[in-house]
Amino acid sequence: MEITPARVASIHYTLTDDDGRVIDQSSETRPLRYFHGAGNIIPGLEKALAGRQAGDALKVDVKPEEGYGVRNEGLVQDLPRESFKGVDKVEPGMQFEARTERGPLLVTVVAVDDDRVRIDGNHPLAGQTLHFDVRVLDVREATDDEKQTGRAGSP
């Protein structure tokens, strides 16, 4: 059975950066299961998996435009330290949810000094080419509930 919209696929994957460092990977005992065609995984990987079947193995390089996007330097801002009232210690790496005119945005603190906090609203992998090594384990028809929600349920 091929991976097509409204089917559920189970995959094992390893994600590496340009230097070959592992960024993420599925557990051998717990593959990634997703509903195909609903945007539940990054577009470049979903496109590459279309038409694949159980047993297929592939390597996929996903450019930023089809991954987590290109970096937008407009999403990097310096804020006054008093914007973080009630937070005892603000440190690089901390994440906060910011309210924007477009809705909530997860931001990461990248630098802190006595007066200012620099935040970055880009996804941590924005601007990076992503390298996937993927093995398709299973493809099945989605249940009615999965079709309603657009998400893979329990196996």
Side-chain angles (χ1 to χ4, degrees), residues 45-109:
L45 182 57
E46 190 167 51
K47 284 179 188 176
L49 288 167
R52 301 296 183 145
Q53 300 177 29
D56 286 353
L58 61 150
K59 292 186 184 290
V60 181
D61 294 330
V62 177
K63 298 290 183 199
E65 297 81 4
E66 292 200 86
Y68 291 99
V70 295
R71 281 197 52 81
N72 177 350
E73 292 308 317
L75 294 176
V76 179
Q77 297 181 17
D78 287 327
L79 299 175
R81 178 66 177 85
E82 50 273 3
S83 297
F84 293 84
K85 285 182 183 166
V87 180
D88 292 334
K89 191 170 187 180
V90 179
E91 299 177 318
M94 294 177 79
Q95 294 186 315
F96 295 91
E97 186 175 288
R99 292 182 188 90
T100 72
E101 60 274 356
R102 292 185 182 153
L105 175 67
L106 187 64
V107 298
T108 303
V109 175

Side-chain angles (χ1 to χ4, degrees), residues 1-5 7-11 34 36 44-60 134-140:
M1 179 177 290
E2 288 186 357
I3 298 175
T4 61
R7 287 191 174 154
V8 174
S10 296
I11 63 171
Y34 78 98
H36 191 82
L45 182 57
E46 190 167 51
K47 284 179 188 176
L49 288 167
R52 301 296 183 145
Q53 300 177 29
D56 286 353
L58 61 150
K59 292 186 184 290
V60 181
V134 182
R135 195 167 24 111
V136 180
L137 301 176
D138 183 56
V139 182
R140 65 171 172 79

Side-chain angles (χ1 to χ4, degrees), residues 1-10 33-38 40 138-155:
M1 179 177 290
E2 288 186 357
I3 298 175
T4 61
R7 287 191 174 154
V8 174
S10 296
R33 189 174 52 255
Y34 78 98
F35 182 94
H36 191 82
N40 294 317
D138 183 56
V139 182
R140 65 171 172 79
E141 292 292 342
T143 65
D144 288 340
D145 284 346
E146 289 169 329
K147 289 176 184 175
Q148 289 285 329
T149 63
R151 295 207 173 277
S154 298

